[in-house]
Amino acid sequence: MLKLWHSLYDVLKVPLLIILVGMMMVGTGSLLISSTFDSLYVINVPVLVMVGRILSTTGAFIVANFPLFIMLRLVTRKAGSSVTVPCALCGYVAFAVSTMLIDNEGLPAYAFKEILGISLQLPGTYSSASSVVYPLDTGIVGALCTAGIVLLLYHNRQPKKHNALSHILTRSTWFFFITIVLCALAGAAVAFLWHYFYAIIARIITVITVDTANPVNLSLYGVTDRILTILNLNNLIRTPFWYTGAGGSWIAESGTSIAGDVSIWTAQTSSGVFTGMSGRFITTYYVLNIFTVPALLWAMFSVQNDKEKKKKQFFFVLILTLFSMFTGILLPVELCLLLFAPLLFVMHCAVSGLLFALLQSLQIYIGYNAPNGLSSGIMPGSLMELFTYLSNPGVQEKLSMFVLVGICIAVFYFVMTRFYFRHMAIDLFHTGRKEKMVHAMVEALGGAANIHRVTSTISSVCIDVFEEERVDETKLLAAGAVYVEHTGDRFIVHVTEASTMIRIGLEKKRQAVVRDV
């Protein structure tokens, strides 16, 4: 089961890269056109403004619809993509349309979203007026349901039988028709069950709202936000606290009542009046983007000992670090962690929740300025936005403490990540799985005496052998490898998160043979 999960990482590498590029496009475009940075600079060059809008809009589409890209990659087959991909797209639409036709009373407006321009006008019951209905926002759930149905039908398709209808309805036509029907039924079922799912989210929101100054409640918010972000459902937890009274309220000098943590910070930013209480639901993102993600990236980079690979990856990691600090790339990093190292992702979610509690206890508040709503500007918590608040006395007072916390968290993440890949990635409870895996690979490689050199990247073990004909690739796969590449006398064994621990184990076996000789 774990091997199957790890194989998803290799399958979904391209969608993950697309999501990463989308986040970079949103960040770059927002740096060019967002009014958030007017206090630092104003760009009036029409070409740059146009480029900024193209990047921001395109990137926002990619990020908002990332489940769609994951679905398309899951249903892509070496033979059959001409059928599975169109069926998946149409099935996804049928799923979304079906959620609009189920009674969804009791769900808030932000539980719905316009997906791929899909909407439905329903006539009024007692009047000629009509209302526009949007699909239920099921995040990645709808995409996975659709992909599962398509793959199930594809792998269980029957050989073509000649009958009276075979000249009219081809096998592909039947495949398409059944996919639409099953996806529509799945959409109706999910829409029916969604009330129970949202009831859990609503209960969490109620618990947090009782006392938003309680560090424990903020910790619960942080963990819930990280989980829902991965599911592409973070609007369910963010909108109430960012834009409604659940996140607090403030009376402006004009007498206007402002509700929501982000709305309050935005209004106070424009008026220059800060109460020092807004921003508690945002501050952690600054630490995550500026300190923790770079520490995580460089820790993963440092556990590798393949010097050639590290040289090639150095500038890529450097670019990711800069984008993380100046715009934010938290979503693709967390998706990668979930697929590549699930336990490390769980640890990250826990630490993120504790970080919300810590910053609340220290009363460090730095908010997010979103003058045009939720989709305007970049992901909250960028270094560039922090620069715009340096003249704010409230931020200046807490800046040194903020930096100290950030540095401590960065060091913790660096040490935690290195420790994880060296000691926790496999066989956490010391059941002997690691030793069995290493022993099986040594046997598959023709014995420890046949190993010339062992290096590792973050996801693979590179083994140079003396006699390649002694290596059994089938046994390597049986030992736990996701797949094996063979070039000359070098074997690249892809074992995802276990690569560092396997490399250390193989190196010990090799050195033991050398000492015996």
Coordinates of all heavy atoms in Angstrom, one line a residue, residues 292-336:
T292 N 10.2 28.7 7.2 CA 10.1 27.3 7.3 C 10.2 26.6 5.9 O 10.9 25.6 5.8 CB 8.8 26.8 7.9 OG1 7.7 27.3 7.1 CG2 8.6 27.4 9.3
V293 N 9.6 27.1 4.9 CA 9.7 26.4 3.6 C 11.1 26.5 3.1 O 11.6 25.4 2.6 CB 8.7 27.0 2.6 CG1 9.0 26.5 1.2 CG2 7.3 26.7 3.0
P294 N 11.8 27.6 3.1 CA 13.3 27.6 2.7 C 14.1 26.6 3.6 O 14.9 25.9 3.0 CB 13.7 29.0 3.0 CG 12.5 29.8 2.8 CD 11.4 29.0 3.4
A295 N 13.8 26.5 4.9 CA 14.6 25.6 5.7 C 14.3 24.1 5.3 O 15.2 23.3 5.2 CB 14.2 25.8 7.2
L296 N 13.0 23.9 5.0 CA 12.6 22.5 4.5 C 13.3 22.2 3.2 O 13.9 21.1 3.0 CB 11.1 22.5 4.4 CG 10.5 21.2 3.9 CD1 10.6 20.1 5.0 CD2 9.0 21.4 3.6
L297 N 13.3 23.1 2.3 CA 13.9 22.9 1.0 C 15.4 22.6 1.1 O 16.0 21.6 0.5 CB 13.7 24.1 0.0 CG 12.2 24.3 -0.4 CD1 12.2 25.6 -1.2 CD2 11.7 23.2 -1.2
W298 N 16.2 23.4 1.9 CA 17.6 23.3 2.0 C 18.0 22.0 2.8 O 19.0 21.4 2.6 CB 18.2 24.5 2.6 CG 18.3 25.6 1.6 CD1 17.5 26.7 1.6 CD2 19.1 25.7 0.5 NE1 17.7 27.5 0.5 CE2 18.7 26.9 -0.2 CE3 20.1 24.9 -0.1 CZ2 19.4 27.4 -1.4 CZ3 20.7 25.4 -1.3 CH2 20.4 26.5 -1.9
A299 N 17.1 21.6 3.8 CA 17.3 20.4 4.5 C 17.2 19.2 3.6 O 18.1 18.3 3.6 CB 16.3 20.3 5.7
M300 N 16.2 19.2 2.7 CA 16.1 18.1 1.7 C 17.2 18.1 0.8 O 17.7 17.0 0.3 CB 14.7 18.2 1.0 CG 13.5 18.0 1.9 SD 11.9 18.4 1.1 CE 11.8 17.0 0.0
F301 N 17.7 19.3 0.4 CA 18.8 19.4 -0.5 C 20.1 18.8 0.2 O 20.9 18.1 -0.5 CB 19.0 20.8 -0.9 CG 20.2 21.1 -1.7 CD1 20.2 20.9 -3.1 CD2 21.4 21.6 -1.2 CE1 21.4 21.1 -3.9 CE2 22.5 21.9 -1.9 CZ 22.5 21.6 -3.3
S302 N 20.2 19.1 1.5 CA 21.5 18.7 2.2 C 21.6 17.2 2.4 O 22.8 16.7 2.6 CB 21.6 19.5 3.5 OG 20.6 19.0 4.4
V303 N 20.5 16.5 2.5 CA 20.6 15.1 2.8 C 21.2 14.3 1.6 O 21.6 13.1 1.8 CB 19.3 14.5 3.3 CG1 18.9 15.1 4.6 CG2 18.2 14.6 2.3
Q304 N 21.2 14.9 0.5 CA 21.7 14.2 -0.7 C 23.2 14.2 -0.7 O 23.8 15.1 -0.2 CB 21.2 14.9 -2.0 CG 19.7 15.0 -2.1 CD 19.2 15.8 -3.3 OE1 18.7 15.3 -4.2 NE2 19.5 17.1 -3.2
N305 N 23.8 13.2 -1.2 CA 25.3 13.2 -1.3 C 25.8 12.9 -2.7 O 26.9 12.7 -2.9 CB 25.9 12.1 -0.4 CG 25.7 10.7 -0.8 OD1 24.7 10.4 -1.6 ND2 26.6 9.8 -0.4
D306 N 24.9 13.0 -3.7 CA 25.2 12.9 -5.1 C 25.6 14.3 -5.6 O 24.8 15.2 -5.8 CB 24.1 12.4 -5.9 CG 24.5 12.0 -7.4 OD1 25.3 12.8 -7.9 OD2 24.0 11.0 -7.9
K307 N 26.9 14.5 -5.7 CA 27.4 15.9 -5.9 C 27.0 16.4 -7.3 O 26.7 17.6 -7.4 CB 29.0 15.9 -5.8 CG 29.5 15.6 -4.4 CD 31.0 15.7 -4.3 CE 31.5 15.4 -2.9 NZ 33.0 15.5 -2.8
E308 N 26.9 15.6 -8.3 CA 26.5 16.0 -9.6 C 25.1 16.5 -9.6 O 24.7 17.5 -10.2 CB 26.7 14.9 -10.6 CG 28.1 14.4 -10.9 CD 28.2 13.3 -11.9 OE1 27.2 13.0 -12.4 OE2 29.3 12.8 -12.1
K309 N 24.2 15.7 -8.9 CA 22.8 16.1 -8.8 C 22.6 17.4 -8.0 O 21.8 18.3 -8.4 CB 22.0 15.0 -8.2 CG 21.8 13.8 -9.0 CD 20.8 14.0 -10.1 CE 20.5 12.7 -10.9 NZ 19.5 12.9 -12.0
K310 N 23.4 17.5 -7.0 CA 23.3 18.7 -6.1 C 23.7 20.0 -6.9 O 23.1 21.1 -6.7 CB 24.2 18.6 -4.9 CG 23.6 17.5 -3.9 CD 24.5 17.4 -2.6 CE 24.2 18.6 -1.7 NZ 24.9 18.4 -0.4
K311 N 24.7 19.9 -7.7 CA 25.2 21.0 -8.5 C 24.0 21.5 -9.5 O 23.8 22.7 -9.6 CB 26.4 20.7 -9.4 CG 27.7 20.6 -8.5 CD 28.9 20.2 -9.4 CE 30.2 20.1 -8.6 NZ 31.3 19.8 -9.5
K312 N 23.3 20.5 -10.0 CA 22.2 20.8 -11.0 C 21.0 21.4 -10.2 O 20.3 22.2 -10.8 CB 21.8 19.6 -11.7 CG 22.9 19.0 -12.7 CD 22.4 17.7 -13.4 CE 23.5 17.2 -14.3 NZ 23.0 15.9 -15.0
Q313 N 20.9 20.9 -9.0 CA 19.7 21.4 -8.2 C 19.9 22.7 -7.4 O 18.9 23.2 -7.0 CB 19.3 20.2 -7.3 CG 18.8 19.0 -7.9 CD 18.5 17.9 -6.9 OE1 18.7 18.1 -5.7 NE2 18.0 16.7 -7.4
F314 N 21.1 23.1 -7.3 CA 21.4 24.2 -6.4 C 20.6 25.5 -6.8 O 19.9 26.1 -6.0 CB 22.9 24.5 -6.4 CG 23.3 25.7 -5.6 CD1 23.4 25.6 -4.2 CD2 23.5 26.9 -6.2 CE1 23.7 26.7 -3.4 CE2 23.8 28.1 -5.4 CZ 23.9 27.9 -4.0
F315 N 20.7 25.8 -8.1 CA 20.0 27.1 -8.5 C 18.5 26.9 -8.5 O 17.8 27.9 -8.2 CB 20.5 27.5 -9.9 CG 21.9 28.0 -9.9 CD1 23.0 27.3 -10.3 CD2 22.2 29.3 -9.4 CE1 24.3 27.8 -10.3 CE2 23.5 29.8 -9.3 CZ 24.5 29.1 -9.8
F316 N 18.0 25.7 -8.7 CA 16.6 25.5 -8.7 C 16.1 25.7 -7.2 O 15.1 26.3 -7.0 CB 16.3 24.0 -9.1 CG 14.8 23.7 -9.1 CD1 13.9 24.3 -9.9 CD2 14.4 22.7 -8.2 CE1 12.5 24.0 -9.8 CE2 13.0 22.4 -8.2 CZ 12.1 23.0 -9.0
V317 N 16.8 25.1 -6.3 CA 16.4 25.3 -4.8 C 16.5 26.8 -4.4 O 15.7 27.3 -3.7 CB 17.3 24.4 -3.9 CG1 16.9 24.6 -2.5 CG2 17.1 22.9 -4.3
L318 N 17.6 27.4 -5.0 CA 17.7 28.9 -4.7 C 16.6 29.7 -5.2 O 16.0 30.6 -4.5 CB 19.0 29.4 -5.3 CG 19.4 30.8 -5.0 CD1 19.5 31.2 -3.5 CD2 20.7 31.2 -5.8
I319 N 16.1 29.4 -6.4 CA 15.0 30.1 -7.0 C 13.7 29.8 -6.2 O 12.9 30.7 -5.9 CB 14.8 29.7 -8.5 CG1 16.0 30.2 -9.3 CG2 13.5 30.2 -9.0 CD1 16.0 29.7 -10.7
L320 N 13.5 28.6 -5.8 CA 12.3 28.2 -5.0 C 12.4 29.0 -3.7 O 11.3 29.4 -3.2 CB 12.3 26.7 -4.7 CG 12.0 25.8 -5.9 CD1 11.9 24.4 -5.5 CD2 10.7 26.2 -6.6
T321 N 13.6 29.1 -3.1 CA 13.7 29.8 -1.8 C 13.3 31.3 -2.0 O 12.5 31.8 -1.2 CB 15.1 29.7 -1.3 OG1 15.5 28.4 -1.1 CG2 15.3 30.5 0.0
L322 N 13.7 31.9 -3.0 CA 13.4 33.3 -3.3 C 11.9 33.5 -3.5 O 11.3 34.4 -3.0 CB 14.2 33.9 -4.5 CG 15.7 33.9 -4.2 CD1 16.4 34.4 -5.5 CD2 16.1 34.9 -3.1
F323 N 11.3 32.6 -4.3 CA 9.9 32.7 -4.6 C 9.1 32.4 -3.3 O 8.1 33.1 -3.0 CB 9.5 31.7 -5.6 CG 9.5 32.3 -7.0 CD1 10.6 32.1 -7.9 CD2 8.4 33.0 -7.5 CE1 10.6 32.6 -9.1 CE2 8.4 33.6 -8.8 CZ 9.5 33.4 -9.6
S324 N 9.6 31.5 -2.5 CA 8.9 31.3 -1.2 C 8.9 32.5 -0.3 O 7.9 32.9 0.3 CB 9.5 30.1 -0.5 OG 8.9 29.9 0.8
M325 N 10.0 33.2 -0.2 CA 10.1 34.3 0.6 C 9.4 35.5 0.1 O 8.7 36.3 0.9 CB 11.6 34.7 0.8 CG 12.4 33.6 1.5 SD 14.2 33.9 1.6 CE 14.2 35.3 2.8
F326 N 9.4 35.7 -1.2 CA 8.9 37.0 -1.8 C 7.5 36.8 -2.3 O 6.8 37.9 -2.4 CB 9.8 37.5 -2.9 CG 11.1 38.1 -2.4 CD1 12.2 37.4 -2.3 CD2 11.1 39.5 -2.1 CE1 13.4 37.9 -1.8 CE2 12.3 40.1 -1.6 CZ 13.4 39.3 -1.5
T327 N 7.0 35.6 -2.5 CA 5.6 35.5 -3.0 C 4.9 34.4 -2.3 O 3.7 34.4 -2.1 CB 5.6 35.2 -4.6 OG1 6.2 33.9 -4.8 CG2 6.3 36.3 -5.3
G328 N 5.6 33.3 -2.0 CA 4.9 32.1 -1.3 C 4.6 31.0 -2.3 O 4.1 31.2 -3.4
I329 N 5.1 29.8 -1.9 CA 4.8 28.6 -2.7 C 4.4 27.4 -1.8 O 4.8 26.3 -2.0 CB 6.1 28.2 -3.5 CG1 7.3 28.0 -2.6 CG2 6.4 29.1 -4.6 CD1 8.5 27.4 -3.3
L330 N 3.7 27.8 -0.8 CA 3.3 26.8 0.3 C 2.5 25.6 -0.2 O 2.8 24.5 0.1 CB 2.6 27.5 1.4 CG 2.4 26.8 2.7 CD1 3.7 26.3 3.3 CD2 1.7 27.6 3.7
L331 N 1.5 25.9 -1.1 CA 0.6 24.8 -1.6 C 1.4 23.7 -2.3 O 1.2 22.5 -2.0 CB -0.5 25.4 -2.5 CG -1.4 24.4 -3.2 CD1 -2.1 23.5 -2.1 CD2 -2.3 25.1 -4.1
P332 N 2.2 24.0 -3.4 CA 2.9 22.9 -4.0 C 3.9 22.2 -3.2 O 4.1 21.0 -3.3 CB 3.6 23.6 -5.2 CG 3.6 25.0 -4.9 CD 2.4 25.3 -4.0
V333 N 4.5 22.9 -2.2 CA 5.4 22.2 -1.3 C 4.7 21.2 -0.4 O 5.1 20.1 -0.2 CB 6.2 23.3 -0.4 CG1 7.0 22.6 0.7 CG2 7.1 24.1 -1.3
E334 N 3.5 21.6 0.1 CA 2.8 20.7 1.0 C 2.2 19.6 0.2 O 2.1 18.4 0.7 CB 1.6 21.5 1.6 CG 2.2 22.5 2.7 CD 1.1 23.3 3.4 OE1 0.0 23.4 2.8 OE2 1.3 23.7 4.5
L335 N 1.7 19.8 -1.1 CA 1.3 18.7 -1.9 C 2.4 17.7 -2.1 O 2.2 16.4 -2.1 CB 0.7 19.2 -3.2 CG -0.6 19.9 -3.2 CD1 -0.9 20.5 -4.5 CD2 -1.7 18.9 -2.9
C336 N 3.6 18.2 -2.4 CA 4.7 17.3 -2.6 C 5.1 16.5 -1.3 O 5.3 15.3 -1.4 CB 6.0 18.2 -3.0 SG 7.4 17.2 -3.3

